[in-house]
Amino acid sequence: MKDRAPASYAKPLPVPDPDTQPFWDACARHELRVQRCTSCASFRWPPGPLCSHCRSWDFEWAKVDGTGKVYSYVIVHYSVVPAFATEMPYVVAQVTLDGTQEAVRMTTNIVEIPPDEVTVGMPVAVAFEDVTPEISLAKFRPTG
Ligand code: ZN
């Protein structure tokens, strides 16, 4: 997968921190993993050290299927970041991941579909984009 990453990437990159590094490591392997409390089994997003339901510090990085549904979205027609200029219009969406008790709503891009064809409730699946040797972005494309 790493040989597909472009030599340079002009857009802003995520900066992993101790809470998010396992997520980015999984994305680099083309796995979608989210935190699940091992005390009460609640999923949570974004990553963090503490369960908001039971206050436990214990958790695992659970692998999920990478399917979900568009919860909401916007179509971006103007960006203050010049690196995105060639991509407009593009879709920024929140996707509710299947198998997470609807607790994980991930902010992402919807790709491989004209922006005006995206709908709320549309089923989608993760489509990793390798942007550097270390970073793969979890974007989503329509299924079916
Ligand atoms: Zn918990």
Side-chain angles (χ1 to χ4, degrees):
M1 74 184 101
K2 297 306 171 199
D3 55 339
R4 294 196 314 246
S8 64
Y9 186 72
K11 297 174 195 146
L13 285 167
V15 180
D17 62 24
D19 288 329
T20 62
Q21 186 70 60
F23 170 78
W24 294 113
D25 290 346
C27 284
R29 298 189 305 268
H30 288 194
E31 296 175 1
L32 199 58
R33 290 186 181 266
V34 295
Q35 284 179 312
R36 179 172 49 202
C37 175
T38 52
S39 292
C40 76
S42 296
F43 286 88
R44 63 176 181 258
W45 186 262
L50 185 69
C51 178
S52 63
H53 295 278
C54 75
R55 308 280 184 214
S56 172
W57 294 86
D58 300 322
F59 65 88
E60 64 182 351
W61 284 93
K63 186 176 178 183
V64 293
D65 289 343
T67 59
K69 290 183 176 56
V70 173
Y71 176 79
S72 184
Y73 69 97
V74 295
I75 300 174
V76 178
H77 293 274
Y78 174 79
S79 174
V80 295
V81 180
F84 288 93
T86 59
E87 296 204 3
M88 281 183 276
Y90 62 91
V91 176
V92 175
Q94 289 203 308
V95 167
T96 306
L97 293 185
D98 293 341
T100 65
Q101 306 149 343
E102 301 195 357
V104 178
R105 195 170 291 150
M106 194 170 282
T107 302
T108 184
N109 295 125
I110 307 298
V111 296
E112 301 179 25
I113 183 173
D116 61 356
E117 294 180 20
V118 174
T119 59
V120 168
M122 186 176 75
V124 291
V126 69
F128 289 101
E129 181 183 347
D130 300 319
V131 296
T132 73
E134 297 80 26
I135 296 291
S136 297
L137 302 176
K139 300 186 175 186
F140 286 78
R141 59 173 172 71
T143 59

